[in-house]
Amino acid sequence: MSPKTMTRRKLIGTTAAAGALAATGIAGIRAATAEEAAPNQARAQAFAHPGMLHTRADFDRMAAKVAAGTEPWTWGWDKLVANGHSQTSWSPRPTETIIRGGDGQNYPQLYRDVHAAYQNALRWKVSGDTAHRDKAVEICNAWSGTLQTVTGNADRYLAAGIYGYQFANAAEIVRDAPGFDLGRFQQMMVDVFYPLNDWFLVNHNDACITNYWANWDLCNMASIMAIGILTDDQGMVDYAVDYFWNGEGNGSIGNAIPFVYDGLAQWQESGRDQAHSMMGIGLMATIMEMAWNQGLDLYSARDNAFGKAAEYVARYNLGHDDVPFTTYSWGTGQNCAYREQTVIGEGGRGQARPVWEMVYGHYTQRQGYAMPNVAAMAGQHSPEGGGGDYGLNSGGFDSLGFGTLAYVRLHWNDIPDDLRPL
């Protein structure tokens, strides 16, 4: 099940990788449990399960905080319980063919069931209510026994990437649950989702390498990493990590963040609009969090460039107009026709998306970095919800969400004042 096609990727040099993956930290606020310790420089020797967006320590923390009635975790829990997708009455609607883009689109059937599986699985891990576990298992089994193809126009690659990483995360939570056909689910991910993820990163739909925005690469990278963890396939995880460092497309760390300033960094889609910029922050954070939980620190890449990009996107979406912008140019279509953006894009400015708590939870609560703009965005949109809380179109399901419940590690009164600048 390891990836076979690697024509547009370069292997990471051992010395460079060790330096780039060096963990950072601050005494006093790093979590005490072994599972929350900073990753080693070297890749973990065995996969940790659960080990995508949440670890056993994460679930224990959520459950303890909710049981104790502690805010803000209880606010996040209440948001989850109120969501219609988290109910045991949910009825899955699996189908053999999912279409995104073009005629006959039916992909909401998939993303709504994916989020229902995730939300029910999360409710089980926090509350212990096995009815939610069983519902998540039912949804996962229904799809793995039915789905054969994800198709459509170019948007099929978005479907394979976004819903691929999300579905794998739901399955990871219930991987040892009674009645769950893990093997069949793994095979579905490898046979249906992974080939599209791989084909896009290698060929970019036969377009110019810079034609597609960062989000296209990032969702497919996230899916490959998640499928690799789910199936214990080190080759897939290495593939995603290698692309993060060296990929020629816009999802690699150097291309997704083209310009770094003092404490801020311009996101690749900043000249496009803010909805997609925030989506990108959520996707790259997802990749970094899954890697972290498998012993790899991607968050600190390029001197915490991603944290600076998150600060940049958050600051502009808080209403500040003082962020710098460097003209961004790229090639489009099959012939790499020249295009450029000279000003930041205002579309979707200030939109609510559940992507900020994960970023803040790492850089400030794990690592001790000051992130005033990300903190303000997280506070403005707290508690974070999930799919179904941000509208019923696909954009409302781009992130699994529930960050206030899942990624807050310290009560705000316990965050020290002497935070370091990014």
Side-chain angles (χ1 to χ4, degrees):
M1 294 187 292
S2 296
K4 305 297 184 185
T5 311
M6 302 185 180
T7 57
R8 283 191 174 174
R9 298 181 289 110
K10 310 175 187 72
L11 293 177
I12 308 171
T14 303
T15 303
L21 298 177
T24 58
I26 180 170
I29 72 167
R30 189 182 300 284
T33 67
E35 289 183 340
E36 283 288 346
N40 296 324
Q41 293 182 16
R43 185 171 64 241
Q45 294 300 305
F47 285 93
H49 297 295
M52 288 190 206
L53 288 176
H54 316 300
T55 65
R56 183 174 290 106
D58 292 331
F59 289 128
D60 289 346
R61 179 187 65 251
M62 292 181 236
K65 296 296 187 182
V66 171
T70 308
E71 298 171 351
W73 294 272
T74 52
W75 299 342
W77 171 250
D78 290 344
K79 194 79 171 179
L80 173 62
V81 170
N83 193 300
H85 294 75
S86 76
Q87 310 306 312
T88 58
S89 58
W90 187 268
S91 296
R93 295 192 300 155
T95 184
E96 288 188 4
T97 301
I98 282 295
I99 304 169
R100 177 166 179 170
D103 297 331
Q105 291 191 118
N106 63 351
Y107 68 102
Q109 287 179 232
L110 176 59
Y111 68 63
R112 295 193 69 185
D113 278 0
V114 168
H115 283 254
Y118 172 77
Q119 291 180 27
N120 273 280
L122 191 56
R123 283 190 68 171
W124 164 53
K125 295 299 287 187
V126 176
S127 71
D129 187 341
T130 58
H132 290 285
R133 175 199 68 193
D134 295 344
K135 177 56 63 174
V137 167
E138 176 193 341
I139 297 167
C140 291
N141 283 346
W143 279 92
S144 70
T146 306
L147 183 63
Q148 300 295 319
T149 305
V150 174
T151 189
N153 62 21
D155 286 358
R156 67 189 182 276
Y157 298 112
L158 291 174
I162 298 169
Y163 315 135
Y165 94 76
Q166 292 176 349
F167 220 170
N169 267 274
E172 176 75 357
I173 299 174
V174 297
R175 64 179 298 128
D176 297 322
F180 178 42
D181 194 336
L182 175 61
R184 191 175 72 187
F185 192 93
Q186 290 171 323
Q187 201 63 52
M188 175 188 71
M189 300 306 297
V190 170
D191 291 347
V192 177
F193 290 88
Y194 172 75
L196 289 168
N197 304 148
D198 173 54
W199 185 254
F200 182 79
L201 292 183
V202 172
N203 295 286
H204 287 84
N205 202 29
D206 295 323
C208 180
I209 191 66
T210 58
N211 180 74
Y212 287 95
W213 302 100
N215 282 317
W216 291 71
D217 271 10
L218 289 169
C219 68
N220 284 286
M221 293 159 62
S223 183
I224 290 173
M225 179 174 284
I227 295 169
I229 295 169
L230 185 71
T231 61
D232 293 303
D233 190 320
Q234 189 67 61
M236 287 192 187
V237 174
D238 289 347
Y239 180 174
V241 173
D242 179 28
Y243 198 96
F244 171 86
W245 288 109
N246 302 305
E248 295 180 30
N250 286 320
S252 63
I253 185 67
N255 294 333
I257 305 171
F259 307 109
V260 179
Y261 312 106
D262 184 15
L264 299 173
Q266 185 172 317
W267 185 251
Q268 190 262 344
E269 300 193 49
S270 291
R272 181 188 184 191
D273 62 50
Q274 297 310 302
H276 287 98
S277 294
M278 286 186 276
M279 179 185 177
I281 295 298
L283 284 169
M284 186 166 274
T286 293
I287 293 168
M288 291 176 164
E289 187 68 15
M290 291 191 294
W292 179 274
N293 288 332
Q294 292 299 329
L296 290 170
D297 180 11
L298 302 183
Y299 278 110
S300 63
R302 292 180 63 204
D303 191 26
N304 300 304
F306 174 68
K308 296 170 186 176
E311 273 289 281
Y312 179 100
V313 174
R315 184 166 183 79
Y316 185 69
N317 281 279
L318 286 167
H320 300 288
D321 294 320
D322 58 350
V323 297
F325 188 86
T326 301
T327 295
Y328 178 75
S329 61
W330 73 104
T332 65
Q334 292 182 312
N335 299 317
C336 293
Y338 180 85
R339 288 188 64 185
E340 67 175 28
Q341 293 163 338
T342 59
V343 296
I344 195 167
E346 295 184 353
R349 190 176 186 185
Q351 185 181 96
R353 286 199 174 229
V355 302
W356 301 107
E357 294 280 26
M358 188 189 303
V359 180
Y360 187 72
H362 175 78
Y363 283 106
T364 296
Q365 299 189 357
R366 275 187 185 138
Q367 301 293 70
Y369 287 110
M371 299 194 83
N373 298 294
V374 169
M377 282 294 284
Q380 189 175 100
H381 299 295
S382 181
E384 286 183 354
D389 291 320
Y390 301 91
L392 296 181
N393 63 16
S394 61
F397 294 81
D398 284 340
S399 301
L400 288 169
F402 299 105
T404 307
L405 172 65
Y407 306 114
V408 173
R409 292 172 173 82
L410 298 171
H411 192 279
W412 48 79
N413 291 335
D414 297 325
I415 297 173
D417 295 328
D418 57 340
L419 300 174
R420 297 172 293 166
L422 279 167

